[in-house]
Amino acid sequence: MRLSQLVGKALAFFLPPLVAVELIIRLLAPGPFAGVRRLMDFYEPVRTGPAPIHYLFIGSSRVAAAVDVPTFRRVLGDTTGARHIYNLGQGYSTLAEHYLALRRLPDSLLQSTVLLVGLKHGVPPSDLFTDTWHGLWADPRWPLLLSPILRVQDLPAYWWQADDALRAKLTVTAGVFLHSIRYGRFIRGKVRALLDRLPQQLGLRPSVSSGPSVLAARGGIRTDSAGIAEVRRQILEQMRAADALRPDSLIPDWDRTVFADLVRLMQRHSGRVVVFNVPLTSWHRLTDRPTREKIQSFRKWARRHDVLVLNVPADYPDEAFPDLVHLADAYAPDFTRKLAEGYLQAHVPNWSSR
């Protein structure tokens, strides 16, 4: 059999089911896929919300867990809900993804927005992978977060500049065009959860009673007991690893970083960027710590470019992190209050005396 005939038969066998799955997903969305669409395209809440955005929190799932929007609103004195405030901290997101998503928002949404970026140790971009556009655009653990916010015209730059693995680039590119690729992980998770619950539903295994989760169910954070246990296992393995205390990356020119592009994007819309440190366990406070030279060079650059750097008191006990990564929901209001008060004291003269 010729190769062309073999390829033709393979396409004839696999293509119709793939097309059918793609059409079903597109026809059913929003419907059953509304939740996963919001998760994959994590900027949808602001893109479809009212304009302008007054305050927008971005960063990893640590930001999603630690920032409580109602508390931030209350400290600002916004009792009527007049300000549009969003927490878009997202698990496995990168600084490049946040920039690309912000760039796609209508100009009317970003006018005079205060963008609050949560990072480990308050210095970019250690917690979000990307130093420059020649680094990683997507987290290798979840590259498909990049697909819904990547424009077709961005693909050549992504393939040419990004340091993502070939497999990640192929996955992201496929996800730009195919919903079935984007939602594959979600569908597999639903099937796995269904199979896990099947013995209980058949009466072959007693149901497990569990109280409310101690983690905030936002930003892609797994709050089920298995998810928390798995994250703890991974962190404990990192603690035991010999390379846990690794040297920090050097930034020879902050103007060439993704973070600098983010600042310029916001300032073109008369907005301002604020950087704050996210809460960390005692182990994380000791690891991945930026060098003193990096901290000083960044803060010098930040002052020169009107970036506000906040030092928020966030030394919570390790027991406040159920999975050793995310701050428990009960502590989020306290951290957010300190964050909001720090912002007001730095942004509004004599606020503390009012």
Side-chain angles (χ1 to χ4, degrees):
M1 183 182 295
R2 292 181 179 179
L3 179 60
S4 59
Q5 293 176 325
L6 183 62
V7 171
K9 288 190 175 183
L11 289 176
F13 181 79
F14 289 109
L15 199 55
L18 290 176
V19 172
V21 170
E22 180 70 20
L23 290 175
I24 289 172
I25 290 177
R26 287 178 181 265
L27 290 173
L28 287 178
F33 291 92
V36 68
R37 187 178 67 177
R38 285 193 294 270
L39 180 61
M40 297 298 299
D41 188 2
F42 58 103
Y43 269 72
E44 184 187 17
V46 299
R47 190 172 54 255
T48 57
I53 303 168
H54 294 100
Y55 295 91
L56 178 60
F57 291 89
I58 68 170
S60 68
S61 55
R62 287 186 171 95
V63 174
V67 175
D68 181 63
V69 169
T71 300
F72 189 80
R73 186 185 300 278
R74 185 169 60 252
V75 175
L76 292 186
D78 182 19
T79 57
T80 62
R83 293 185 177 93
H84 305 138
I85 307 172
Y86 298 90
N87 179 0
L88 289 190
Q90 174 63 50
Y92 307 113
S93 63
T94 67
L95 203 58
E97 288 171 332
H98 284 282
Y99 170 85
L100 292 167
L102 285 166
R103 191 191 58 179
R104 293 194 64 172
L105 294 179
D107 290 344
S108 60
L109 287 177
L110 288 181
Q111 289 301 318
S112 303
T113 298
V114 177
L115 185 72
L116 297 106
V117 187
L119 299 168
K120 285 199 295 187
H121 308 292
V123 176
S126 300
D127 198 35
L128 297 181
F129 291 91
T130 310
D131 290 335
T132 71
W133 290 105
H134 293 283
L136 293 177
W137 288 25
D139 188 320
R141 295 168 295 180
W142 203 348
L144 283 168
L145 276 181
L146 179 60
S147 295
I149 55 181
L150 201 64
R151 302 177 305 190
V152 174
Q153 55 265 41
D154 294 326
L155 288 174
Y158 175 56
W159 277 85
W160 181 257
Q161 289 185 314
D163 196 31
D164 299 56
L166 176 61
R167 180 178 180 180
K169 289 182 177 179
L170 290 170
T171 302
V172 168
T173 303
V176 170
F177 303 100
L178 299 174
H179 289 197
S180 55
I181 299 296
R182 299 183 196 174
Y183 300 166
R185 174 173 174 172
F186 171 80
I187 295 172
R188 290 194 300 272
K190 286 293 186 181
V191 172
R192 192 180 302 115
L194 178 63
L195 293 176
D196 289 341
R197 290 196 302 267
L198 192 59
Q200 296 177 6
Q201 294 174 348
L202 295 176
L204 302 178
R205 192 171 64 200
S207 60
V208 179
S209 60
S210 60
S213 172
V214 293
L215 291 174
R218 53 180 178 253
I221 303 171
R222 285 191 61 180
T223 59
D224 59 291
S225 57
I228 292 176
E230 175 60 20
V231 174
R232 288 182 66 93
R233 183 191 65 78
Q234 293 178 12
I235 294 300
L236 291 172
E237 285 185 358
Q238 292 180 28
M239 290 180 180
R240 289 190 290 266
D243 63 346
L245 292 168
R246 56 184 179 274
D248 190 31
S249 59
L250 299 177
I251 308 294
D253 185 359
W254 284 102
D255 284 328
R256 295 180 178 273
T257 61
V258 175
F259 182 79
D261 284 343
L262 186 67
V263 172
R264 287 188 282 265
L265 172 67
M266 299 307 300
Q267 291 179 348
R268 284 198 299 271
H269 293 85
S270 302
R272 191 179 192 189
V273 175
V274 179
V275 171
F276 64 94
N277 53 295
V278 295
L280 302 171
T281 64
S282 59
W283 180 76
H284 282 109
R285 290 197 295 269
L286 293 174
T287 58
D288 298 326
R289 178 177 291 278
T291 62
R292 180 173 298 180
E293 291 76 17
K294 181 175 182 178
I295 294 175
Q296 291 175 346
S297 67
F298 170 70
R299 293 192 175 183
K300 182 179 178 180
W301 181 90
R303 286 192 299 270
R304 195 165 65 245
H305 292 82
D306 194 33
V307 175
L308 181 60
V309 180
L310 301 179
N311 292 315
V312 185
D315 292 342
Y316 295 100
D318 290 349
E319 291 75 20
F321 303 84
D323 61 353
L324 301 180
V325 175
H326 303 102
L327 190 67
D329 205 24
Y331 290 85
D334 178 72
F335 173 76
T336 306
R337 175 184 57 79
K338 295 174 181 176
L339 169 61
E341 291 175 352
Y343 166 72
L344 289 174
Q345 289 173 355
H347 184 68
V348 181
N350 301 318
W351 175 83
S352 59
S353 62
R354 292 184 178 184

mmCIF file of all heavy atoms in Angstrom, residues 171-192:
data_model
loop_
_atom_site.group_PDB
_atom_site.id
_atom_site.type_symbol
_atom_site.label_atom_id
_atom_site.label_comp_id
_atom_site.label_asym_id
_atom_site.label_seq_id
_atom_site.Cartn_x
_atom_site.Cartn_y
_atom_site.Cartn_z
ATOM 1 N N THR A 171 0.948 22.067 20.619
ATOM 2 C CA THR A 171 -0.303 22.010 21.375
ATOM 3 C C THR A 171 -0.996 23.369 21.385
ATOM 4 O O THR A 171 -2.205 23.471 21.159
ATOM 5 C CB THR A 171 -0.026 21.543 22.816
ATOM 6 O OG1 THR A 171 0.611 20.266 22.789
ATOM 7 C CG2 THR A 171 -1.317 21.440 23.608
ATOM 8 N N VAL A 172 -0.223 24.420 21.666
ATOM 9 C CA VAL A 172 -0.785 25.770 21.711
ATOM 10 C C VAL A 172 -1.342 26.164 20.348
ATOM 11 O O VAL A 172 -2.449 26.716 20.240
ATOM 12 C CB VAL A 172 0.283 26.782 22.168
ATOM 13 C CG1 VAL A 172 -0.193 28.212 21.951
ATOM 14 C CG2 VAL A 172 0.627 26.561 23.634
ATOM 15 N N THR A 173 -0.608 25.882 19.286
ATOM 16 C CA THR A 173 -1.054 26.241 17.939
ATOM 17 C C THR A 173 -2.338 25.517 17.575
ATOM 18 O O THR A 173 -3.269 26.111 17.017
ATOM 19 C CB THR A 173 0.043 25.922 16.914
ATOM 20 O OG1 THR A 173 1.249 26.612 17.276
ATOM 21 C CG2 THR A 173 -0.376 26.348 15.525
ATOM 22 N N ALA A 174 -2.412 24.234 17.899
ATOM 23 C CA ALA A 174 -3.641 23.487 17.640
ATOM 24 C C ALA A 174 -4.804 24.065 18.438
ATOM 25 O O ALA A 174 -5.933 24.168 17.941
ATOM 26 C CB ALA A 174 -3.438 22.014 17.978
ATOM 27 N N GLY A 175 -4.523 24.477 19.680
ATOM 28 C CA GLY A 175 -5.572 25.029 20.527
ATOM 29 C C GLY A 175 -6.087 26.372 20.068
ATOM 30 O O GLY A 175 -7.206 26.770 20.415
ATOM 31 N N VAL A 176 -5.290 27.110 19.296
ATOM 32 C CA VAL A 176 -5.755 28.388 18.757
ATOM 33 C C VAL A 176 -6.957 28.175 17.841
ATOM 34 O O VAL A 176 -7.881 28.993 17.798
ATOM 35 C CB VAL A 176 -4.615 29.097 17.994
ATOM 36 C CG1 VAL A 176 -5.139 30.307 17.224
ATOM 37 C CG2 VAL A 176 -3.516 29.523 18.957
ATOM 38 N N PHE A 177 -6.956 27.056 17.119
ATOM 39 C CA PHE A 177 -7.996 26.808 16.118
ATOM 40 C C PHE A 177 -9.062 25.814 16.577
ATOM 41 O O PHE A 177 -10.185 25.839 16.075
ATOM 42 C CB PHE A 177 -7.352 26.288 14.830
ATOM 43 C CG PHE A 177 -6.322 27.216 14.258
ATOM 44 C CD1 PHE A 177 -4.963 26.986 14.470
ATOM 45 C CD2 PHE A 177 -6.700 28.322 13.517
ATOM 46 C CE1 PHE A 177 -4.003 27.843 13.937
ATOM 47 C CE2 PHE A 177 -5.757 29.186 12.986
ATOM 48 C CZ PHE A 177 -4.406 28.951 13.197
ATOM 49 N N LEU A 178 -8.736 24.918 17.503
ATOM 50 C CA LEU A 178 -9.636 23.812 17.847
ATOM 51 C C LEU A 178 -10.054 23.871 19.317
ATOM 52 O O LEU A 178 -9.200 23.787 20.205
ATOM 53 C CB LEU A 178 -8.964 22.470 17.564
ATOM 54 C CG LEU A 178 -8.558 22.210 16.108
ATOM 55 C CD1 LEU A 178 -7.768 20.916 16.011
ATOM 56 C CD2 LEU A 178 -9.788 22.156 15.219
ATOM 57 N N HIS A 179 -11.341 23.987 19.570
ATOM 58 C CA HIS A 179 -11.849 23.946 20.939
ATOM 59 C C HIS A 179 -11.664 22.566 21.556
ATOM 60 O O HIS A 179 -11.480 22.445 22.762
ATOM 61 C CB HIS A 179 -13.330 24.324 20.953
ATOM 62 C CG HIS A 179 -13.588 25.765 20.680
ATOM 63 N ND1 HIS A 179 -14.784 26.386 20.978
ATOM 64 C CD2 HIS A 179 -12.802 26.729 20.146
ATOM 65 C CE1 HIS A 179 -14.722 27.653 20.633
ATOM 66 N NE2 HIS A 179 -13.530 27.887 20.120
ATOM 67 N N SER A 180 -11.757 21.530 20.741
ATOM 68 C CA SER A 180 -11.635 20.174 21.265
ATOM 69 C C SER A 180 -10.256 19.931 21.864
ATOM 70 O O SER A 180 -10.110 19.149 22.811
ATOM 71 C CB SER A 180 -11.914 19.157 20.151
ATOM 72 O OG SER A 180 -11.066 19.381 19.037
ATOM 73 N N ILE A 181 -9.232 20.589 21.330
ATOM 74 C CA ILE A 181 -7.887 20.466 21.892
ATOM 75 C C ILE A 181 -7.810 21.197 23.226
ATOM 76 O O ILE A 181 -7.269 20.693 24.217
ATOM 77 C CB ILE A 181 -6.841 21.025 20.910
ATOM 78 C CG1 ILE A 181 -6.854 20.251 19.597
ATOM 79 C CG2 ILE A 181 -5.453 20.990 21.533
ATOM 80 C CD1 ILE A 181 -6.452 18.812 19.714
ATOM 81 N N ARG A 182 -8.385 22.397 23.277
ATOM 82 C CA ARG A 182 -8.349 23.182 24.513
ATOM 83 C C ARG A 182 -9.046 22.449 25.656
ATOM 84 O O ARG A 182 -8.586 22.451 26.791
ATOM 85 C CB ARG A 182 -9.052 24.525 24.315
ATOM 86 C CG ARG A 182 -8.463 25.440 23.272
ATOM 87 C CD ARG A 182 -9.252 26.732 23.276
ATOM 88 N NE ARG A 182 -9.038 27.532 22.087
ATOM 89 C CZ ARG A 182 -9.708 28.637 21.815
ATOM 90 N NH1 ARG A 182 -10.634 29.054 22.655
ATOM 91 N NH2 ARG A 182 -9.455 29.326 20.713
ATOM 92 N N TYR A 183 -10.201 21.834 25.353
ATOM 93 C CA TYR A 183 -11.027 21.274 26.405
ATOM 94 C C TYR A 183 -10.731 19.807 26.689
ATOM 95 O O TYR A 183 -11.394 19.196 27.526
ATOM 96 C CB TYR A 183 -12.506 21.416 26.032
ATOM 97 C CG TYR A 183 -12.975 22.830 25.817
ATOM 98 C CD1 TYR A 183 -14.184 23.100 25.202
ATOM 99 C CD2 TYR A 183 -12.202 23.919 26.230
ATOM 100 C CE1 TYR A 183 -14.626 24.402 25.002
ATOM 101 C CE2 TYR A 183 -12.628 25.212 26.030
ATOM 102 C CZ TYR A 183 -13.830 25.454 25.409
ATOM 103 O OH TYR A 183 -14.258 26.735 25.219
ATOM 104 N N GLY A 184 -9.735 19.251 25.998
ATOM 105 C CA GLY A 184 -9.444 17.837 26.184
ATOM 106 C C GLY A 184 -9.112 17.483 27.615
ATOM 107 O O GLY A 184 -9.590 16.483 28.154
ATOM 108 N N ARG A 185 -8.302 18.330 28.259
ATOM 109 C CA ARG A 185 -7.917 18.057 29.647
ATOM 110 C C ARG A 185 -9.143 18.100 30.559
ATOM 111 O O ARG A 185 -9.289 17.280 31.464
ATOM 112 C CB ARG A 185 -6.878 19.086 30.084
ATOM 113 C CG ARG A 185 -6.482 19.033 31.543
ATOM 114 C CD ARG A 185 -5.328 19.979 31.807
ATOM 115 N NE ARG A 185 -5.015 20.071 33.223
ATOM 116 C CZ ARG A 185 -3.965 20.696 33.714
ATOM 117 N NH1 ARG A 185 -3.115 21.272 32.907
ATOM 118 N NH2 ARG A 185 -3.750 20.748 35.007
ATOM 119 N N PHE A 186 -10.032 19.064 30.309
ATOM 120 C CA PHE A 186 -11.249 19.183 31.104
ATOM 121 C C PHE A 186 -12.130 17.951 30.935
ATOM 122 O O PHE A 186 -12.657 17.405 31.912
ATOM 123 C CB PHE A 186 -11.995 20.446 30.682
ATOM 124 C CG PHE A 186 -13.377 20.577 31.264
ATOM 125 C CD1 PHE A 186 -13.558 21.020 32.560
ATOM 126 C CD2 PHE A 186 -14.491 20.263 30.506
ATOM 127 C CE1 PHE A 186 -14.828 21.146 33.095
ATOM 128 C CE2 PHE A 186 -15.763 20.389 31.026
ATOM 129 C CZ PHE A 186 -15.933 20.830 32.329
ATOM 130 N N ILE A 187 -12.280 17.501 29.697
ATOM 131 C CA ILE A 187 -13.128 16.338 29.429
ATOM 132 C C ILE A 187 -12.542 15.092 30.102
ATOM 133 O O ILE A 187 -13.263 14.306 30.723
ATOM 134 C CB ILE A 187 -13.270 16.124 27.908
ATOM 135 C CG1 ILE A 187 -14.007 17.304 27.276
ATOM 136 C CG2 ILE A 187 -14.003 14.818 27.611
ATOM 137 C CD1 ILE A 187 -14.017 17.282 25.765
ATOM 138 N N ARG A 188 -11.220 14.919 29.998
ATOM 139 C CA ARG A 188 -10.586 13.765 30.656
ATOM 140 C C ARG A 188 -10.787 13.819 32.163
ATOM 141 O O ARG A 188 -11.017 12.793 32.813
ATOM 142 C CB ARG A 188 -9.099 13.727 30.313
ATOM 143 C CG ARG A 188 -8.796 13.372 28.867
ATOM 144 C CD ARG A 188 -7.331 13.031 28.686
ATOM 145 N NE ARG A 188 -6.459 14.135 29.059
ATOM 146 C CZ ARG A 188 -6.079 15.097 28.233
ATOM 147 N NH1 ARG A 188 -6.495 15.094 26.977
ATOM 148 N NH2 ARG A 188 -5.278 16.053 28.641
ATOM 149 N N GLY A 189 -10.704 15.020 32.730
ATOM 150 C CA GLY A 189 -10.910 15.163 34.169
ATOM 151 C C GLY A 189 -12.326 14.805 34.584
ATOM 152 O O GLY A 189 -12.539 14.162 35.617
ATOM 153 N N LYS A 190 -13.313 15.220 33.760
ATOM 154 C CA LYS A 190 -14.703 14.879 34.063
ATOM 155 C C LYS A 190 -14.926 13.368 33.996
ATOM 156 O O LYS A 190 -15.610 12.784 34.840
ATOM 157 C CB LYS A 190 -15.634 15.589 33.080
ATOM 158 C CG LYS A 190 -15.787 17.076 33.324
ATOM 159 C CD LYS A 190 -16.508 17.355 34.625
ATOM 160 C CE LYS A 190 -16.794 18.825 34.816
ATOM 161 N NZ LYS A 190 -17.471 19.103 36.109
ATOM 162 N N VAL A 191 -14.353 12.733 32.988
ATOM 163 C CA VAL A 191 -14.481 11.277 32.852
ATOM 164 C C VAL A 191 -13.828 10.573 34.033
ATOM 165 O O VAL A 191 -14.386 9.625 34.609
ATOM 166 C CB VAL A 191 -13.871 10.809 31.518
ATOM 167 C CG1 VAL A 191 -13.830 9.286 31.460
ATOM 168 C CG2 VAL A 191 -14.658 11.368 30.336
ATOM 169 N N ARG A 192 -12.635 11.047 34.422
ATOM 170 C CA ARG A 192 -11.936 10.436 35.557
ATOM 171 C C ARG A 192 -12.738 10.594 36.849
ATOM 172 O O ARG A 192 -12.843 9.659 37.659
ATOM 173 C CB ARG A 192 -10.552 11.072 35.697
ATOM 174 C CG ARG A 192 -9.630 10.322 36.655
ATOM 175 C CD ARG A 192 -8.270 10.997 36.743
ATOM 176 N NE ARG A 192 -7.645 11.071 35.430
ATOM 177 C CZ ARG A 192 -7.385 12.203 34.789
ATOM 178 N NH1 ARG A 192 -7.706 13.362 35.348
ATOM 179 N NH2 ARG A 192 -6.810 12.208 33.610
#
